[in-house]
Amino acid sequence: MEWTKEQRYRTMDEVSEEEIQALAKRVNQCPWRQSFHIQPVTGLLNDPNGFSYFNGEYHLFYQWFPIGPVHGLKHWYHTKSKDLVHWEDVGMGIEPSNEFDCHGAYSGSGIEHDGKLYFMYTGNTRDADWNRHPYQCLAVMSPDGSIVKMDEPVIADVPSGYTDHFRDPKVWKNGDIFYAVIGAQRENETGSVVLFQSKDLVDWKFMGEVKTGLGEEFGYMWECPDYFELYGQGVLLFSPQGLKAEGDHYQNIYQSGYVVGSAIDLENIELKHGVFHELDRGFDFYAPQTTVDHQGRRILVGWMGLPELDYPTDKNGWAHCLTLPRELTVKEGKLIQQPVDELKLLRGEKVETNLMVESETICLDNFKGDVYELLAEFSDSTAEEFGLELRVGEYEKTIIKYDRVAKKLVFDRTDSGESFAKEFGTVRKCTVEAEEFSFRIFVDVSSIEVFVNDGEEVFTGRIFPGENSNGIRIFSRGGETNVQVVKWDIK
Ligand code: FRU
């Protein structure tokens, strides 16, 4: 079905309870509903927003188009958790409602101030000729959970030199001063990030563009910037649009990644840094956002999806989910991403084995499932390649392997199930040189997240296998490999 502009910009007041109920029914009949990932109750989810620890709980919102699997009038949907694992659906968080956000409460961030949680987000508006004008808006959540919007935007104008692609404020505090990075497009249609400063989150002063070493030829728009410091180093994370595929890099429609350097020089607004790294080497990952919690951990959540692609769940009236939360650390100029420790709370019944695999594929009979955590450690290999096949059915399999000859990790979803986004390829690879490999893998009904060697690389992807594709196989080709495997059912 084609969605008209009118259909995409209906407000929730114009949608009847019956329509929502009928949609929820279709959504709940979908065989690919996830079991331990945050997913939309109905409609489309995209960027994580307002991620924060406040008043003893984690709050995590997502960009939400409630009434179908397309991008339209965006809301913030609110979820919360005490442990980053079990999430409660709270309901509507921020609803577009006034002249400053009438065409969408777009992405933004949360920060605690004076005992309340402040959200700074982009109000998207369009005029009669469909020209865009963005406002940066503020909403405040009290400890009782009620959210009130401020009447006026806190940044009403785009600084000169930039287009109306100006959005996604991410706020942090340094001493007594608040700073915000905002994704911007220069008038020459190249991507950048600008910096604002405030004492009270209400009055914001434009400081200038963040000078980076990436120059003016690194995509046409940088969405969802995030800046933070880890062990004294500065990390700028953003989602550039318009990078060309290059070898194993930039294979998805849009990218997200980061640079690491010395802490940002706030006087000269400059970040000296190393090369740009992609955060995830898989297929479905975009617009991540981080927060820091009461234990001082830096935690990242991403959108497990991409703009402008059709997904197999669309026909059931919903699309996308968020990734699992990952704890970030930094090592030799690169981020290390590990699933937060609390995810062990999900571990149920356990099976394990230790074996030498030789020149064939071994079916592990007592290893089966569609929702589980699996840890596979490979060592002492003389093989050309070794790895795993998951969600194996008569005609289906999802492959995670290491090609020892090419020294590449490979994630192959060619035969994973119902295919989609094939024009962007069905295999992702990245070069890693190591003798031993550990794959810590989280499999949900329609996704897989692979953390390689304690988070040095991560591969994330949606897969849409048949419900009987539950097999797990191990292989070592052209030689033998020692493998230790542990699998936990997820409760
Ligand atoms: C990224 C993005 C943001 C914007 C939001 C709208 O996916 O395009 O730049 O704020 O989604 O939903």
Side-chain angles (χ1 to χ4, degrees):
M1 162 183 146
E2 264 306 310
W3 284 68
T4 62
K5 206 184 273 179
E6 284 69 32
Q7 288 168 328
R8 286 174 197 255
Y9 286 88
R10 279 197 298 164
T11 64
M12 286 308 274
D13 298 342
E14 296 164 324
V15 179
S16 69
E17 189 51 37
E18 291 76 52
E19 185 179 341
I20 289 289
Q21 292 303 334
L23 177 62
K25 196 167 161 206
R26 270 173 64 211
V27 170
N28 292 327
Q29 284 165 353
C30 181
W32 290 307
R33 289 296 277 171
Q34 297 275 57
S35 75
F36 63 98
H37 283 81
I38 293 174
Q39 62 190 341
V41 279
T42 54
L44 178 140
L45 164 157
N46 55 301
D47 316 354
N49 290 159
F51 189 20
S52 28
Y53 185 80
F54 172 65
N55 220 14
E57 288 174 316
Y58 294 93
H59 293 270
L60 179 52
F61 299 74
Y62 55 77
Q63 282 286 284
W64 185 41
F65 179 64
I67 57 172
V70 295
H71 293 266
L73 185 62
K74 293 292 171 70
H75 301 61
W76 280 36
Y77 190 90
H78 187 185
T79 67
K80 65 177 188 173
S81 168
K82 290 200 163 51
D83 59 11
L84 290 167
V85 175
H86 302 96
W87 293 91
E88 184 189 323
D89 278 338
V90 180
M92 185 71 81
I94 300 177
E95 203 168 359
S97 61
N98 59 38
E99 62 185 295
F100 305 112
D101 65 8
C102 51
H103 289 74
Y106 273 14
S107 285
S109 55
I111 192 161
E112 189 174 341
H113 177 49
D114 282 347
K116 293 183 172 161
L117 192 57
Y118 282 66
F119 303 115
M120 189 170 174
Y121 68 97
T122 300
N124 184 51
T125 69
R126 300 275 194 172
D127 66 14
D129 300 321
W130 210 244
N131 294 314
R132 190 194 287 276
H133 185 81
Y135 295 95
Q136 312 309 314
C137 304
L138 210 60
V140 185
M141 188 172 93
S142 302
D144 69 5
S146 58
I147 299 175
V148 177
K149 283 189 200 176
M150 270 191 47
D151 292 336
E152 298 284 321
V154 291
I155 301 175
D157 297 308
V158 174
S160 70
Y162 300 91
T163 73
D164 282 331
H165 286 287
F166 183 77
R167 55 181 172 264
D168 312 334
K170 177 71 169 43
V171 182
W172 78 97
K173 199 174 183 184
N174 188 327
D176 289 337
I177 313 244
F178 295 99
Y179 290 90
V181 276
I182 301 184
Q185 181 182 59
R186 300 185 193 97
E187 270 172 350
N188 65 2
E189 296 191 1
T190 60
S192 70
V193 164
V194 299
L195 183 72
F196 279 75
Q197 191 188 64
S198 171
K199 288 199 175 69
D200 55 8
L201 295 168
V202 177
D203 282 323
W204 287 92
K205 183 173 161 224
F206 176 58
M207 306 296 288
E209 185 171 313
V210 179
K211 297 182 210 67
T212 70
L214 297 168
E216 295 209 356
E217 275 168 37
F218 203 72
Y220 59 81
M221 172 64 190
W222 294 3
E223 296 192 305
C224 300
D226 191 344
Y227 175 79
F228 55 89
E229 283 163 22
L230 269 181
Y231 316 110
Q233 297 179 66
V235 182
L236 179 67
L237 202 126
F238 58 101
S239 294
Q241 299 184 306
L243 302 186
K244 287 204 190 71
E246 225 181 272
D248 298 333
H249 292 280
Y250 316 147
Q251 292 288 326
N252 297 331
I253 184 167
Y254 302 130
Q255 326 306 326
S256 36
Y258 62 92
V259 292
V260 177
S262 40
I264 189 169
D265 174 347
L266 289 166
E267 244 158 64
N268 297 310
I269 318 176
E270 182 169 11
L271 191 72
K272 294 213 166 79
H273 59 81
V275 297
F276 178 82
H277 294 282
E278 281 168 274
L279 266 162
D280 198 283
R281 308 309 300 263
F283 298 90
D284 306 283
F285 185 88
Y286 195 63
Q289 186 176 82
T290 74
T291 191
V292 62
D293 75 354
H294 55 303
Q295 302 170 29
R297 293 183 297 179
R298 178 60 59 175
I299 303 166
L300 173 141
V301 171
W303 167 24
M304 204 194 292
L306 286 166
E308 292 162 47
L309 302 176
D310 296 328
Y311 281 74
T313 60
D314 293 356
K315 52 183 167 297
N316 285 84
W318 72 285
H320 312 305
C321 62
L322 296 180
T323 68
L324 296 174
R326 308 173 180 179
E327 182 177 351
L328 302 182
T329 50
V330 66
K331 190 176 138 195
E332 292 158 17
K334 262 187 83 175
L335 289 177
I336 302 296
Q337 307 173 69
Q338 297 210 267
V340 293
D341 210 41
E342 288 91 330
L343 285 162
K344 291 181 181 152
L345 293 170
L346 291 173
R347 288 178 177 176
E349 200 175 317
K350 172 177 168 181
V351 284
E352 60 189 313
T353 186
N354 186 348
L355 64 169
M356 202 67 176
V357 191
E358 208 185 319
S359 297
E360 62 182 304
T361 303
I362 296 186
C363 222
L364 296 174
D365 282 338
N366 51 341
F367 285 64
K368 270 195 178 19
D370 61 353
V371 178
Y372 55 86
E373 177 187 342
L374 185 129
L375 178 66
E377 297 178 284
F378 297 85
S379 60
D380 302 317
S381 182
T382 58
E384 281 159 22
E385 59 175 29
F386 57 75
L388 297 157
E389 292 174 3
L390 307 172
R391 300 301 309 269
V392 181
E394 205 179 341
Y395 304 108
E396 294 175 349
K397 59 178 184 277
T398 296
I399 306 167
I400 306 292
K401 68 179 184 187
Y402 183 59
D403 177 337
R404 287 185 73 234
V405 180
K407 301 202 188 311
K408 280 184 200 281
L409 284 162
V410 181
F411 173 14
D412 183 343
R413 71 172 179 189
T414 314
D415 298 317
S416 286
E418 191 167 322
S419 63
F420 65 106
K422 277 206 301 234
E423 61 277 28
F424 292 93
T426 57
V427 180
R428 293 289 181 271
K429 297 179 179 177
C430 91
T431 301
V432 175
E433 288 204 31
E435 280 304 316
E436 301 193 342
F437 278 87
S438 81
F439 296 157
R440 189 165 166 207
I441 305 176
F442 291 84
V443 174
D444 204 340
V445 177
S446 55
S447 69
I448 157 164
E449 285 153 287
V450 185
F451 296 83
V452 180
N453 287 355
D454 297 315
E456 295 210 5
E457 299 290 351
V458 190
F459 289 83
T460 297
R462 295 301 299 276
I463 51 171
F464 298 95
E467 47 186 341
N468 297 324
S469 298
N470 286 335
I472 298 177
R473 290 190 206 142
I474 295 185
F475 61 86
S476 173
R477 296 201 182 92
E480 54 181 25
T481 306
N482 184 275
V483 192
Q484 281 193 43
V485 202
V486 190
K487 170 184 166 272
W488 292 269
D489 285 338
I490 281 184
K491 288 185 275 196

